[in-house]
């Protein structure tokens, strides 16, 4: 399961409303890259793919592709506001290491494809 907090759900709903396209949902996944080996991806989609995992949290449909799901199973997505702005934060119980930016990670079973960090 992927958990979307109530605060994150409200932000996603706000962003979806701004898109004004019926049938859109939140697609969450990972791909090789980043400082630690994998990077997170979030975006809008409206096409389901074979093997997709589907969840609903606070009225938001979340879809994860079958290849990404093992790396982010159990992840919680939140939205945090600060004086510097706001953004989504990801707490992934499968990550054993991550980079300072928080958008790259590796797991105990997979290292992904790490790239050189930008200073």
């Amino acid at each position: 399961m992927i958990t979307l907090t109530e605060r994150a759900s409200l932000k996603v709903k706000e962003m979806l409303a701004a898109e004004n396209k019926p049938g859109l949902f939140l697609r969450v996944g990972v791909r090789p890259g980043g400082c630690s080996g994998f990077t997170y991806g979030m975006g809008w989609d409206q096409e389901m793919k074979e093997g997709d995992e589907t969840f609903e949290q606070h009225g938001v449909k979340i879809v994860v592709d079958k290849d990404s799901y093992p790396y982010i199973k159990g992840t919680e997505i939140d939205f945090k506001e600060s004086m510097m702005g706001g953004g989504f934060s990801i707490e992934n119980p499968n990550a054993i290491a991550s980079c300072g930016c928080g958008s790259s990670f590796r797991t105990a079973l997979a290292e992904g494809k790490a790239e050189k960090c930008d200073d």
Side-chain angles (χ1 to χ4, degrees):
M1 169 166 276
I2 304 297
T3 301
L4 196 63
T5 66
E6 189 172 355
R7 186 174 26 220
S9 297
L10 291 171
K11 188 63 176 178
V12 169
K13 286 178 185 178
E14 176 186 312
M15 294 168 76
L16 279 170
E19 290 292 322
N20 197 24
K21 291 182 182 176
L24 284 181
F25 53 81
L26 178 65
R27 181 172 288 280
V28 180
V30 299
R31 64 180 183 269
C35 303
S36 296
F38 291 105
T39 58
Y40 298 105
M42 290 179 22
W44 311 130
D45 200 348
Q46 58 190 131
E47 292 184 33
M48 297 290 295
K49 298 179 177 100
E50 186 176 334
D52 279 347
E53 296 282 343
T54 305
F55 310 97
E56 184 147 338
Q57 296 279 310
H58 306 285
V60 174
K61 183 177 179 180
I62 307 158
V63 177
V64 181
D65 67 272
K66 66 181 178 183
D67 295 329
S68 295
Y69 188 65
Y71 302 118
I72 58 174
K73 182 179 179 181
T75 292
E76 180 181 271
I77 302 170
D78 194 9
F79 186 82
K80 298 180 180 180
E81 294 277 357
S82 72
M83 292 184 70
M84 300 297 288
F88 290 97
S89 67
I90 299 173
E91 291 294 324
N92 183 348
N94 304 295
I96 62 164
S98 62
C99 65
C101 67
S103 65
S104 178
F105 70 100
R106 67 182 155 110
T107 69
L109 301 176
E111 294 185 4
K113 184 178 178 183
E115 301 167 343
K116 186 177 185 289
C117 287
D118 293 328
D119 293 317

